[in-house]
Amino acid sequence: MAQGIFVTGTGTEVGKTVVAATIARTLAGEGRRVTVFKPAVTGLDEGVETDHELLRRAAGCDQSDEEIAPYRYGPPASPHLAAALAGEEIDPERLRNAAAAAAGGAEAIVCEGVGGLLVPLSPSYLVRDLAADLGYPLVVVAGPGLGTINHTLLTVEAARAVGLEVAAVVLNPWPEDPGEIERSNRETITSLTEVEVLTLPRLDLADPGSWPGLAISRG
Ligand SMILES: Nc1ncnc2c1ncn2[C@@H]1O[C@H](COP(=O)(O)OP(=O)(O)O)[C@@H](O)[C@H]1O
Ligand SMILES: [Mg+2]
């Protein structure tokens, strides 16, 4: 069975895709066959590189859009709403099957959630439910600055409440010259969660060769 990681975060735009891409690239750089998975992508109308495109590029895999992200929508809305606007509902069984198929051909799979852990995929199925169904250890991406302790602890607590393992927290983007607040946040999250807290600097996304390695020790 493929080794798996599920990348979640304290919310949207915290760097889940960038962190998932860096983990995928690190695993691929170790010579492993890596695939990626993202249950739903929204905001395709915005015309920037999509999550599934960046993930595919980082993993160096040849999965189709459909194989990486079975549900893809134009509006930048929560997946349950984007699906409703398209006149459909996201089917948990289809997600589980697609994730299993993506893992099937790989030695390692990196999954990215949508928004935070308690975001609904369908009216009764949250990102957390999918994470629990897949059973992979979590990586929690959070900002480095003020407010992040609360957001990170809430996310770790929500994960542990359903028996999910948190393998690491990643503070992103980590400043070149971290101040008192960032350094204290890192130490405080480490001591209150007993989870390893890693950091990722701002990257040149166009040049994966320049990215640092990001190895997750569990999972
Ligand atoms: N470490 C980083 N280096 C460069 N750009 C980053 C980094 N982290 C986040 N970004 C940028 O910030 C935005 C949000 O990041 P993204 O990974 O898409 O967040 P999420 O997947 O959590 O919504 C994107 O435009 C992304 O390119
Ligand atoms: Mg993303």
Side-chain angles (χ1 to χ4, degrees):
M1 224 182 83
Q3 173 196 31
I5 280 286
F6 192 100
V7 178
T8 186
T10 54
T12 193
E13 293 286 306
V14 292
K16 292 182 302 295
T17 307
V18 171
V19 167
T22 307
I23 294 170
R25 184 178 156 80
T26 303
L27 289 164
E30 292 165 357
R32 266 176 274 203
R33 205 145 33 82
V34 181
T35 55
V36 289
F37 183 73
K38 163 115 192 170
V41 174
T42 62
L44 296 183
D45 290 347
E46 300 193 318
V48 293
E49 183 176 44
T50 63
D51 286 6
H52 48 288
E53 286 162 351
L54 177 57
L55 293 171
R56 176 168 47 219
R57 184 157 68 82
C61 61
D62 61 4
Q63 294 169 275
S64 67
D65 291 357
E66 175 74 21
E67 286 168 330
I68 297 175
Y71 293 96
R72 301 175 308 284
Y73 301 108
S78 172
H80 77 290
L81 175 59
L85 293 171
E88 59 184 32
E89 198 170 288
I90 290 176
D91 174 11
E93 188 61 20
R94 184 171 159 205
L95 291 180
R96 289 188 289 262
N97 290 338
E107 292 163 289
I109 181 164
V110 181
C111 306
E112 182 195 346
V114 190
L117 263 191
L118 300 189
V119 162
L121 292 166
S122 81
S124 60
Y125 190 74
L126 309 180
V127 169
R128 181 172 69 174
D129 297 319
L130 175 66
D133 283 345
L134 300 184
Y136 299 134
L138 297 185
V139 169
V140 174
V141 183
L146 188 62
T148 206
I149 296 175
N150 178 57
H151 289 149
T152 305
L153 298 190
L154 285 170
T155 300
V156 170
E157 195 164 306
R160 288 176 171 166
V162 297
L164 282 166
E165 179 196 346
V166 181
V169 169
V170 179
L171 300 181
N172 172 76
W174 188 248
E176 248 173 69
D177 185 17
E180 186 86 45
I181 290 183
E182 288 86 6
R183 284 183 280 119
S184 169
N185 283 344
R186 186 176 187 182
E187 283 162 25
T188 305
I189 292 169
T190 306
S191 71
L192 288 175
T193 62
E194 297 181 339
V195 171
E196 183 177 27
V197 181
L198 306 171
T199 62
L200 188 69
R202 190 161 288 285
L203 308 178
D204 175 1
L205 295 179
D207 178 20
S210 68
W211 301 357
L214 188 59
I216 306 301
S217 43
R218 312 272 294 278

